[in-house]
């Protein structure tokens, strides 16, 4: 076997779901040869104390993310619509509970 | 030959960056950051990650000789945690555009720094108690502060680590308690371990503030929230009562309580020893590096097998699809 120049393998992002039906959350990353190996490594690194009931692994290169530079314009459509928030609407005094 | 140090654009971005730090915002991997900030983080985080990895060696030395199955299981789990901690922080460092391979190569080549404390030998079983109690105790003080660091991935790794370190400290202190309450020989062994690990533990916080070249920048950018001396004092204040509770003596004749400040004032630290060990002349520097290199070389066949297995499966899947 020839000497491997890179002993670290591709990078995978790890998302773990804690119990109680909560959504998956980014936990960190692992290096692994393939998806199955990445799942095993993710379990050993991010789930040693029952922190997860389910794990996703995704090749880091496959993740598309918004960039800090276009943060303003990219999120503008949402920020401009104050009427999406309940505080936008006035409730007559005396009405406490909906 | 030297490009202009800072264009107007850079100056604006730097001001914006510093305003974000001042507002206590978290800096994320893709955000603009000064090159010095990035370099300081890579330096600090990689040293931290290396320390976790090398930190497995002094304790691994005692796994086969732990005095009971309970102690052996705890120690195995603790050493596995340290490997995990190294991985969390390497993974955080990679978000700064560094490849883990580079960092591992630097460690194996002997050009990377790691915490000097791991260059001291573990001579008796009591040393495993002292490491958990003092070394992990000091690490908790440091890492609790770092959990609020301005760089998001570092802070998040620290939150995860802090949750686990408490187990480490408790298992170590329990070993010390058991020995301190045991036979006179066992108690003497515990005292001897405290005598040898006390001062190196205080050195873990790094040089005094006035002699620490990186501190100002790290504090300014919110990577650190407290100075080396502040953290060291906090550790001493926390630990004295724990030593007294098990009737062990801190090896410092000058130690005294200062009513006015509420601090335990300790004697002078031997900085010559500190620098000697940092520069490579500690009791175990060469041994640690040799052990790390051997472990890496011995693992070569595992890495080769995993790579070959993945290639075989990929080929089989491709064949099945065709």
């Amino acid at each position: 076997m020839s000497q491997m120049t890179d002993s670290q393998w591709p990078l995978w992002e790890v998302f773990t779901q804690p119990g109680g039906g909560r959504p998956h959350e980014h936990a960190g990353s692992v290096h692994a040869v393939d998806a199955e190996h990445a799942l095993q490594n993710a379990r050993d690194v991010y789930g040693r104390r029952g922190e997860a009931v389910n794990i996703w692994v995704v090749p880091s290169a496959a993740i598309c993310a918004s960039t800090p530079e276009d943060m303003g314009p990219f999120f503008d459509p949402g920020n401009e619509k104050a009427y999406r928030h309940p505080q936008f609407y006035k409730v007559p005094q005396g009405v406490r509970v909906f | 030959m030297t490009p202009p140090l800072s264009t107007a654009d850079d100056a604006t971005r730097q001001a914006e960056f510093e305003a974000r730090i001042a507002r206590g915002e978290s800096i994320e991997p893709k955000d603009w950051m000064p090159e010095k900030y990035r370099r300081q983080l890579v330096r600090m985080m990689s040293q931290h990650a290396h320390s976790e990895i090398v930190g497995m060696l002094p304790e691994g030395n005692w796994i086969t000789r732990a005095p009971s199955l309970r102690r052996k299981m705890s120690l195995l789990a603790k050493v596995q945690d340290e490997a995990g901690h190294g991985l969390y922080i390497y993974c955080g460092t990679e978000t700064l555009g560094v490849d883990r391979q580079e960092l591992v190569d630097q460690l194996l080549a002997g050009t990377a720094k790691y915490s000097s404390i791991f260059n001291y030998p573990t001579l008796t079983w009591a040393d495993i108690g002292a490491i958990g109690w003092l070394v992990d105790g000091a690490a908790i003080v440091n890492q609790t502060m770092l959990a609020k660091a301005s760089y998001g991935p570092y802070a998040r790794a620290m939150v995860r680590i802090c949750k686990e370190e408490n187990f480490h400290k408790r298992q170590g202190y329990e070993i010390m308690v058991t020995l301190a309450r045991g036979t006179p020989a066992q108690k003497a062994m515990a005292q001897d371990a405290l005598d040898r690990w006390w001062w190196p533990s205080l050195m873990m916080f790094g040089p005094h503030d006035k002699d620490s070249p990186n501190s100002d920048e790290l504090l300014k950018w919110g990577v650190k929230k407290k100075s080396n001396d502040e953290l060291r004092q906090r550790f001493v204040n926390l630990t004295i009562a724990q030593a007294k509770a098990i009737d062990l003596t801190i090896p410092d004749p000058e130690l005294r309580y200062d009513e006015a400040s509420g601090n335990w004032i300790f004697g002078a630290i031997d900085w010559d020893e500190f620098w000697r060990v940092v520069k490579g002349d500690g009791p175990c520097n060469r041994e640690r590096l040799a052990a790390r290199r051997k472990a890496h070389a011995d693992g070569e066949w595992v890495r080769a097998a995993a790579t070959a297995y993945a290639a075989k499966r990929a080929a089989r899947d491709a064949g099945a699809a065709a």
Side-chain angles (χ1 to χ4, degrees):
Chain A
M1 175 84 206
S2 63
Q3 276 289 319
M4 287 185 292
T5 49
D6 189 333
S7 58
Q8 307 296 316
W9 305 314
L11 196 60
W12 302 70
E13 298 302 320
V14 178
F15 299 82
T16 53
Q17 182 187 31
R22 300 223 302 272
H24 285 71
E25 196 176 73
H26 185 241
S29 60
V30 292
H31 287 263
V33 275
D34 60 14
E36 186 188 358
H37 187 210
L39 271 179
Q40 289 167 353
N41 284 354
R43 174 203 59 199
D44 291 346
V45 177
Y46 297 103
R48 285 194 300 285
R49 289 181 173 76
E51 295 97 331
V53 294
N54 191 267
I55 298 178
W56 293 344
V57 290
V58 184
S60 301
I63 295 208
C64 251
S66 63
T67 66
E69 286 74 29
D70 57 30
M71 206 158 95
F74 187 73
F75 291 108
D76 255 0
N79 295 338
E80 280 167 359
K81 297 182 175 71
Y83 48 86
R84 285 189 195 276
H85 298 281
Q87 300 90 310
F88 184 77
Y89 301 93
K90 293 187 174 52
V91 175
Q93 271 187 345
V95 179
R96 294 257 161 101
V97 185
F98 275 102
Chain B
M1 159 189 129
T2 324
L5 276 178
S6 136
T7 63
D9 215 28
D10 269 357
T12 314
R13 288 202 277 191
Q14 173 107 12
E16 271 169 23
F17 174 83
E18 280 170 9
R20 292 189 64 193
I21 299 275
R23 287 195 296 271
E25 285 180 28
S26 190
I27 306 300
E28 294 297 332
K30 288 180 158 187
D31 295 350
W32 185 89
M33 59 185 83
E35 183 53 24
K36 277 292 279 297
Y37 178 80
R38 197 189 76 87
R39 279 213 303 270
Q40 281 282 23
L41 280 172
V42 170
R43 183 190 62 80
M44 191 167 158
M45 291 169 72
S46 61
Q47 284 180 17
H48 194 162
H50 294 325
S51 302
E52 301 284 354
I53 299 299
V54 178
M56 292 192 279
L57 298 171
E59 293 183 295
N61 180 33
W62 279 91
I63 289 175
T64 55
R65 292 171 290 156
S68 70
L69 183 58
R70 181 178 184 273
R71 296 280 188 231
K72 183 182 286 205
M73 289 191 304
S74 300
L75 189 56
L76 266 171
K78 178 180 190 294
V79 171
Q80 190 194 17
D81 275 352
E82 306 299 0
H85 295 178
L87 292 176
Y88 302 157
I89 311 172
Y90 280 133
C91 136
T93 317
E94 289 195 290
T95 64
L96 291 160
V98 188
D99 198 85
R100 190 172 74 185
Q101 175 77 36
E102 265 176 67
L103 303 176
V104 170
D105 286 348
Q106 287 165 8
L107 177 63
L108 296 176
T111 55
K113 277 190 191 158
Y114 55 84
S115 184
S116 289
I117 193 96
F118 301 119
N119 287 321
Y120 290 85
T122 40
L123 303 178
T124 72
W125 170 250
D127 289 14
I128 300 305
I131 288 181
W133 175 33
L134 301 173
V135 177
D136 289 82
I140 290 173
V141 169
N142 193 32
Q143 289 165 347
T144 306
M145 171 214 39
L146 290 173
K148 300 188 187 86
S150 58
Y151 189 57
Y154 196 21
R156 291 192 285 273
M158 287 304 116
V159 169
R160 211 171 271 282
I161 287 178
C162 284
K163 282 187 194 155
E164 302 182 352
E165 291 282 8
N166 276 322
F167 140 58
H168 299 177
K169 182 177 172 185
R170 287 218 184 187
Q171 69 87 34
Y173 190 57
E174 193 192 83
I175 291 172
M176 294 303 270
V177 173
T178 307
L179 291 172
R181 290 181 181 161
T183 65
Q186 287 171 326
K187 186 172 180 188
M189 189 193 272
Q191 181 64 53
D192 168 63
L194 172 58
D195 290 348
R196 282 180 292 109
W197 289 93
W198 174 252
W199 291 105
S201 297
L202 296 197
M203 295 176 198
M204 276 178 73
F205 296 94
H208 284 310
D209 297 345
K210 61 178 170 50
D211 304 317
S212 175
N214 295 306
S215 275
D216 282 349
E217 218 161 53
L218 293 172
L219 285 164
K220 180 179 87 175
W221 281 332
V223 177
K224 296 183 70 166
K225 302 277 178 176
K226 292 196 172 99
S227 75
N228 294 355
D229 285 329
E230 285 176 282
L231 293 168
R232 186 166 17 240
Q233 186 65 60
R234 177 168 166 70
F235 171 71
V236 171
N237 290 351
L238 286 171
T239 311
I240 304 294
Q242 293 158 8
K244 281 181 189 286
I246 52 175
D247 195 28
L248 293 181
T249 309
I250 302 285
D252 179 358
E254 291 172 48
L255 191 71
R256 64 181 172 82
Y257 185 69
D258 178 56
E259 288 280 354
S261 62
N263 286 332
W264 284 90
I265 309 296
F266 47 93
I269 294 172
D270 181 357
W271 293 110
D272 289 343
E273 174 183 323
F274 174 77
W275 289 114
R276 210 161 48 237
V277 182
V278 168
K279 291 190 173 132
D281 251 342
C284 298
N285 295 52
R286 277 165 287 270
E287 188 184 325
R288 297 291 180 243
L289 212 54
R292 209 38 244 149
R293 284 183 186 137
K294 182 175 185 303
H296 191 75
D298 288 352
E300 172 75 17
W301 72 269
V302 180
R303 295 189 293 273
T307 305
Y309 180 64
K312 189 178 84 177
R313 279 178 34 129
R316 199 174 54 204
D317 291 351

